[in-house]
Amino acid sequence: MQFLHNSLVELISQTATNLPPDVRHAMAAAGLNETPGTQAAQALNIIFSNVDMAAEDSGPICQDTGMPTFYVHTPVGVNQIKIGKAIRAAVAEATRLGKLRPNSVDSITGKNSGDNLGPGTPVVHFEQWEEDEIEIRLVLKGGGCENKNAQYSLPANLERLGRADRNLEGVRKCLLHAVWQAQGQGCAPGALGVCIGSDRAHGYDIAKQQLFRTLDDTNPDPVLAELEERIMREANELGVGAMGFGGRVSLIGCKIAAANRLPASFFVSVAYECWAFRRLGIRLDASTGAITGWLYRDPARPVERMTRGEGFPLSGREVVLTAPLTEEAVRSLKVGDVVLIRGEMYTGRDAVHAYLMKNPPPVDLNGAVLYHCGPVMLKDGNEWSVKAAGPTTSIREEPYQADVIRRYGVRAVIGKGGMGPRTLAALKEYGAVYLNGIGGAAQYYARTVQEVLGVNLMEFGIPEAMWHLRVNNFPAIVTMDAHGNSLHADIEKATAEELERLQPA
Ligand code: SF4
């Protein structure tokens, strides 16, 4: 098995950096369907540029490289223990190379292991089969979309949709609800892997396994095929749109399996996958570990570029914000404005926000731009460089954000998916603004970073530390302003009305 290590590192690197062709096609179709000039269309343009940049530079498509989850099939007689060890070594190596973000955190102490290894990580499922080769599939599913997974126990009463019974109509309601509740927080447009039945634990696993079907396949079960087609049509009428900005494309795939269940249980398990739908697979020679073929892609075919025209065309109406920001500059902004940020910003996510509740900030945050981001960083000598730096889901900071704004004078918060009423009230009272970056556009945003000026709170690990960055022309959209307006609240309300409309009379 002299080639096994290199084959696995290649699988991980390609999965993290090169979006599979079926996902590219689905996203390209989403771009063609979207209304030109809208915020959703702008978001898709940035996503397309980001996908091209990631493939060209072999950098992570999104900074959240997720929970590495492997499904391995081996011929009878192959030593699975050795393969498990090789997978762990390859995960550590890919992390060292900056293809994976260190994402494995001790659940009790919060300490990051630094190499993506630890109890329960990576996830590896083994199965034997009667073929001669080894097959290894990998999915990298990030936390933002993982947090939007949903499991329903029928019968249930669903917000806006009423009672969901133990039948296909009840399942349909669950799936529409799953798309609606995700809004932009799971980086829409998304895809659903679904399991009808089974038990709670295995149902989620089967749902996740549906993400290994290609987006353009047809379910061999005609009943499920019809349901998949219906969900695609109806979910795209909801109007969630890319990043939850409102728009015509909310879903790029729906893949449903049915598994037997206990008579007393009826679960519908939903794995919500974001647009950065990273999964690939390899076939290996069972004696050498060399790659004999790829699943989902043909490496002999050149990667098709996604960017059309100039990618993210500037209209000239963008508002340039130079940090540190004044209250006056922030209060002049309104929902829908596109801004280009220049100057300094600080990253801060879960650990930083919890820290700021009990401790003063290590830097002066007056007028600051606070970026909800856990970047991929690499150190070369004494210099840090940014390898991937897109926004993370902001709603996790809702319990803290209003206090951080009030106490320390933060003027702009950048993240994705929007925030809640407490933050909205604080923006209005203290003169601050929420800016929505494009989730998953980690390469695009990394290129706006001119310099890493420093780092604080490194004891929280690379993704959770407070990075001090100088950026140029960092684009974002004002989605919550200092006048009490929230695009997220508006879209949630409008899509809820659509959801009600989709109830059968
Ligand atoms: S695209 Fe969004 S949801 Fe997906 S991994 Fe990246 S940040 Fe998370």
Side-chain angles (χ1 to χ4, degrees), residues 162-231:
R163 202 181 66 240
D165 293 315
R166 291 183 162 192
N167 52 33
L168 282 184
E169 176 54 25
V171 173
R172 171 187 162 269
K173 286 186 179 182
C174 295
L175 301 188
L176 291 176
H177 186 269
V179 175
W180 176 71
Q181 58 91 37
Q183 290 289 306
Q185 292 169 13
C187 291
L192 305 182
V194 179
C195 175
I196 305 170
S198 191
D199 63 10
R200 282 195 186 274
H202 198 214
Y204 260 137
D205 183 36
I206 294 173
K208 194 172 246 186
Q209 287 187 47
Q210 300 319 299
L211 300 175
F212 286 104
R213 285 175 52 195
T214 54
L215 291 175
D216 53 4
D217 75 356
T218 302
N219 198 313
D221 180 328
V223 174
L224 296 182
E226 192 182 330
L227 183 59
E228 288 176 359
E229 191 272 325
R230 186 171 178 193
I231 294 297

